[in-house]
Each structure stands twice: as C-alpha cells, then as structure tokens.
Amino acid sequence: MEAKTQTLTLTPPPGFTLFPFLKPPHRTLTFYQISALLLTFFAYAAFHASRKPPSIVKSVLCPEIQSPLNTTAAAATTTSDRNPIEAETGWAPFNDPRGAHRLGELDLAFLSAYSAGMYFAGHLGDRMDLRVFLAIGMLGSGVMTVVLGFGYFLDVHDFGFFVVVQVVCGLFQSIGWPCVVAVVGNWFGKSKRGLIMGLWNSHTSLGNIIGSLVASSVLGFGWGWSFVLPGIFIVVMGIVVYLFLVVSPENVGFELVGKEVEMNVEGVPLVGLEKVECGEEGIVESENTDSFAAIGFLEAWRLPSVAPFAVCLFFSKLVAYTFLYWLPFYIRHTAVAGVHLSHKTAGILSTVFDVGGVIGGVMAGYISDMIEARAVTSVVFLLLSIPALIFYRIYGSISMLTNVGLMFLSGLLVNGPYSLITTAVAADLGTQSLIKGNSRALATVTAIIDGTGSIGAALGPLLAGYISTRGWNSVFFMLTVSISIAAMLLIQVVKTEIKGKLNEGKWLFWIISAN
C-alpha cells in the first residue's frame, strides 16, 4: 500500500512571537530538546492528575456501611476522620449494594472511550499539528473534569450524567499519549531512549501523586472540589503547551541531513544529534519525502513485534489501572495493623505505589538500554511482580511498615514494564529501520500499543468492581494471572532478542569482562 504524503506547515509556536528570544538562532538544539521534554512531561502529568480523583472519591460515593468487605470500619474510624458531607449515606446512585458495580461501570465508560479514541487519535496525530491537537485534548479533558465535579455542586444523582461526562472525557484524554510520545520521539534518538523515556515517563506517577494529594486534601470540603482543582490544572497546562511546545526540529529550522541535524539559519553551525536512518548521506529530506508520509493503521499493526507488545500491554495495563482506580478503596477497606484508615489517609498512602512506579520506570529504561533488550527487561519485571503482589496481599496488613514497603515494591515492578512498553518500546517500533525512521508512524504505532493496552485498562477496574464483592483474594488472583499471561506473550520476542545478542557476542563480552 502506497502511503500518501502530506505537507505540514512547520512554524514556531505562537508563544515565540511574545518572547522573540526563544526563536532560533538565539537558542540551541539542546534547549529545544529539554523544553520539549519538560513541556510534554508536565502535560501528561496533568492528564494523569485529572484521572486520579475518581479513585479518591470512591469510598465517599460508595459508603462503607454498605460494603460486604468491611463490617467493622465504622467502629474503627473516629468521627473526626469522617467526611461531614458524606453523613454516612454516600452519594446516590452509588450508595446502594450495587454501588461498587456502578463505580466499576463508570471506570469502564471512561476507559472504553479512552481506548477507542486512542486509535483515532494516533491516526489524526500523524496528520495534523501535534501542538494544537495536544492542546485540544488537554483543554477538553480539563473542562470535562470540572463538569464532573459540578455534579456535586448541582446535586446531580443521575447515573447517565456521570457516564456521558466520563465518555467525553475519555475521548479527550485519548489524544494525550500518542502526541507526547511522538513529540519526544521526534527529538531523541534510540541509544539512550530507554533511560530518557524512563525518567520522562515518571510523569505518569507524578501526575497520580499530584492528583491523589490534591483530591484527598480538599475531600473534606465536598468531593466536587477533588475534580475541579485537577481540571483547572490541566487547562492551564494546555494553554502553556499551545503557546510554547515545539513538536519537532523542523518547527524551529533544523533539517535532517543524512545522519545529522543541521540548523537552517545562515551563519549557525551544524549541531550533531543522534544518528537517524534516512536516505542517501548528505541529502536534506524535503517535506514531500517519506518521512512525512503517515503510515496506514493495518500496515502499522503488521510491523515486527508491534502485536506482541500491544497485547502484552493489554494485560500489563489491566493490572496497573486496577491499582490506579481501586488502591485507595482497597486500603480504606483493609485494616492495617488492625486499624482502618480514613478516606484522606488512604488516598495519600496510595501514592507510595506511584513513587515505586517512578523508580521502576527509570530502572526498566536504564537496564533495557544497558543490555539493549526491551523484551527481556519487561519479562523479568513482570515475573518478579507476581510474588510481590502475593506478598502485599498476605503481609501488607501486618503493619504500616510492611504495607508501605510491599506497596512500593509492587509499584516498582508493575509499572516498570508498563512504562517501558508505552514509551521506549513504542518509540523504537514506530521508528524502526523497516519504515526508514518514518517519524509520521510514531503516533500511529504508539496509539496501537497504548490503545490496545487501554482496553485492558478498561476491563481491569470493571472486573475489580465486581470481583471485590467476593473478596480481595479473588482480585489479586486475577491480577497475578494477567501478569503471567503478559509475560508469556513476549517469550518469542525474548528468544529473538537473546539469539540476536548471542550472535553479536555482546552479552558474552559483558560476562567475560565481569569475571
């Protein structure tokens, strides 16, 4: 299938008109790389901060007195710990015996729209200005998050309202990930991509932490505020992105020349960048070359290793998002050292999982760079996370220390491969030599991988909502089975990686050097 070429208007962002000193040649290539990294980092942190409130308010909407998992929490929690707005009645329609099921269905509505929208977002992202498209996603997400919070202030109890708002919000949120990965992939080469993207991907956990802390801190004033503040945060960040994000070197006059990046401004010397596979040496790629031809959706699916990693992420993200949406609820309804924690404390404590996720993402990226094997790194993390989850379920309630330690370890091992696959792996597969470093394939491949993963993310919280009514042992069994399947899906890719490294002799050299 012959890809259609498309000419994009490559212009600096409008904020450069307000601040001319940001334009070339006043700033170097390194400056633009760092600014792109930081802007996309905080942009996606804002996305995740706006996703976190539903997990924080779950235990307020669905009252503890109705929970079959906990019959003594009311007695163990002091009056000062309770939310006066809650008044022990919860919030209709989530305050009846089917409340947990409805909360799971609400998660499904958001994540289903998110995963479906991801495929379209990636397709569109390869065909329009990523800066504008990302800003639209952020502004829409912020507005919908605020609207969801207004359900409290307007005393809305219609389940359909919550579902519709979450569906629209999910569609806007799906724009974010393909855009930010494509931008970072445009600016950074492959050799240190795992470490760079591992550090960069800590935005996911940082956003979760910010969302948890903000939502928990204002919960006592009414659960609506837990949505309004994160919504305002992402709107503000969306405006900053629209004004200042530079999506690719071409936007500020840099052009690919063979395997280097050259400044297209008279008198400015050539600046080296990571080697990029392109056409003949020394030929500047024009806007009408294949580097600007968007790859087809089915063609992207057929690229080597895309399908195995995409389905692996389905199960890996199922686990990660079950924790994202249900961990505060689980902590609230599980006694730690015989004491049930308050809503606020449970929400804050859940951030430990995300702190572990930051370390796990960086570790997975660094290790995968060092051994040059993404699949091997992912499988090792996945297999180690199985006993970590089992230990957390069995021993996490013994004391606060064991709870925090095992939660941190679980977050590290669960989020490590999830972070690696959604960032470095997606960027690698979207710029592999088979498509000659086609930067216009980045958003499409990223959307396929993360979109498939997001289907699992939609199912995980839904299943947890239903299964949790039978006991949390069943939920953890589902999580360990999912991780096992995720690891098995990469076995063939692992074999290929190991065989390739042994043939190259690199690993043998490392072993001999270590001895």
Side-chain angles (χ1 to χ4, degrees), residues 59-247:
S59 57
V60 174
L61 301 178
C62 185
E64 58 197 356
I65 56 174
Q66 298 289 347
S67 174
L69 306 175
N70 178 27
T71 57
T72 61
T77 307
T78 64
T79 303
S80 60
D81 287 331
R82 301 182 191 278
N83 184 341
I85 305 295
E86 179 188 355
E88 300 300 332
T89 61
W91 188 270
F94 307 104
N95 59 347
D96 59 26
R98 282 186 47 82
H101 295 172
R102 289 196 179 95
L103 290 172
E105 291 162 1
L106 203 60
D107 294 338
L108 177 66
F110 171 84
L111 292 167
S112 295
Y114 177 82
S115 59
M118 183 77 70
Y119 294 112
F120 295 101
H123 189 73
L124 291 173
D126 279 335
R127 289 160 172 80
M128 64 182 295
D129 190 331
L130 288 172
R131 175 180 56 82
V132 175
F133 196 37
L134 179 58
I136 291 173
M138 297 180 73
L139 294 176
S141 297
V143 170
M144 287 299 103
T145 302
V146 171
V147 169
L148 197 61
F150 268 76
Y152 168 79
F153 299 108
L154 299 177
D155 199 29
V156 177
H157 297 277
D158 182 8
F159 183 60
F161 165 81
F162 295 100
V163 171
V164 170
V165 174
Q166 283 289 70
V167 167
V168 177
C169 188
L171 292 174
F172 278 115
Q173 287 260 338
S174 68
I175 295 173
W177 190 242
C179 290
V180 296
V181 173
V183 170
V184 174
N186 286 340
W187 282 105
F188 293 92
K190 186 176 180 180
S191 63
K192 298 297 181 183
R193 184 177 279 163
L195 176 59
I196 290 173
M197 285 194 157
L199 290 166
W200 174 75
N201 195 56
S202 61
H203 54 46
T204 298
S205 298
L206 178 64
N208 291 340
I209 292 170
I210 293 173
S212 296
L213 295 177
V214 171
S216 298
S217 64
V218 297
L219 196 57
F221 299 101
W223 61 262
W225 288 108
S226 297
F227 289 91
V228 171
L229 295 186
I232 294 175
F233 174 49
I234 191 173
V235 167
V236 172
M237 281 305 307
I239 295 172
V240 173
V241 164
Y242 176 77
L243 290 176
F244 298 106
L245 179 64
V246 181
V247 301

